[in-house]
Amino acid sequence: MNFQQLVLASHNAGKLKELQAMLGQSVQLRSIGEFSQVEPEETGLSFVENAILKARNAARISGLPALADDSGLAVDFLGGAPGIYSARYADGKGDAANNAKLLEALKGVPEAERGAQFVCVLALVRHADDPLPILCEGLWHGSILFEASGDHGFGYDPLFWVPERNCSSADLAPTDKNQLSHRARAMALLRQRLGLT
């Protein structure tokens, strides 16, 4: 499959930059923001459903093949929450509020029970009604810290402990994170599927 351009179903400039770096220069990633400012309602009950929904919407609006990423944090002690609601866990009040709510939910929970994973599902559709979306999933296992650490990244990165590097995700340099993260793992699979490796 040969794609020169893909539209990314996200208005998040950080995500666009991160995914473009992972995808490489052979495919140009464009933001859905070039075509529309309207976000589709994420009515799915799983990362897979929401990724497909966002990809189809972006393809419909742009007329281009579309790539969507649905990702979030699943905390074992919380039964997989915040999960698909990760970005709006604290009612859309932003990263700091989400992190504060998560720390409050895990108050008093011992280190051994703070296991978590970042989840990323990438969905690629050739057109809005593509009956066979390409789906790639990446998981990044770690645990939740008792307080924030690090200045890089976004979202829950300051609270996510990366055991293989002995630091938080927000302590990692962006180039390191782009090799280890859930998004990097899903993107490596996508690159294989597209024959870009």
Side-chain angles (χ1 to χ4, degrees):
M1 278 168 288
N2 192 7
F3 297 102
Q4 255 112 38
Q5 283 191 355
L6 292 173
V7 63
L8 178 65
S10 173
H11 292 92
N12 183 325
K15 197 178 273 193
L16 180 73
K17 191 175 171 187
E18 204 173 90
L19 286 170
Q20 181 68 73
M22 291 178 200
L23 200 50
Q25 295 312 306
S26 57
V27 180
Q28 183 198 0
L29 210 49
R30 294 173 64 182
S31 167
I32 188 64
E34 292 180 42
F35 304 92
S36 168
Q37 291 307 311
V38 181
E39 296 269 7
E41 211 175 319
E42 293 181 31
T43 53
L45 296 177
S46 68
F47 292 109
V48 169
E49 289 173 275
N50 282 334
I52 292 172
L53 185 148
K54 290 191 282 190
R56 289 196 192 288
N57 179 67
R60 193 167 286 116
I61 289 168
S62 68
L64 291 168
L67 176 66
D69 148 285
D70 201 56
S71 47
L73 180 69
V75 179
D76 300 341
F77 185 83
L78 302 177
I84 59 169
Y85 306 108
S86 293
R88 42 195 196 279
Y89 188 44
D91 304 318
K93 293 183 185 139
D95 291 350
N98 287 340
N99 284 320
K101 182 174 178 179
L102 180 61
L103 286 175
E104 186 59 35
L106 292 176
K107 207 170 184 175
V109 176
E111 195 174 327
E113 294 175 42
R114 296 171 80 94
Q117 46 276 317
F118 272 126
V119 181
C120 171
V121 172
L122 293 174
L124 176 65
V125 295
R126 286 160 278 264
H127 53 82
D129 301 314
D130 192 339
L132 197 63
I134 295 172
L135 295 170
C136 299
E137 179 189 80
L139 296 178
W140 192 16
H141 296 280
S143 60
I144 303 302
L145 292 165
F146 291 89
E147 60 184 38
S149 172
D151 308 315
H152 300 292
F154 54 90
Y156 296 94
D157 286 342
L159 294 180
F160 188 75
W161 180 251
V162 182
E164 64 262 43
R165 290 298 171 89
N166 227 21
C167 66
S168 84
S169 174
D171 286 319
L172 292 170
T175 47
D176 286 343
K177 183 188 171 193
N178 285 354
Q179 291 176 331
L180 295 170
S181 76
H182 51 310
R183 222 168 260 122
R185 292 165 197 225
M187 184 56 85
L189 292 175
L190 185 66
R191 286 177 58 87
Q192 278 177 0
R193 292 285 296 271
L194 297 179
L196 296 174
T197 49

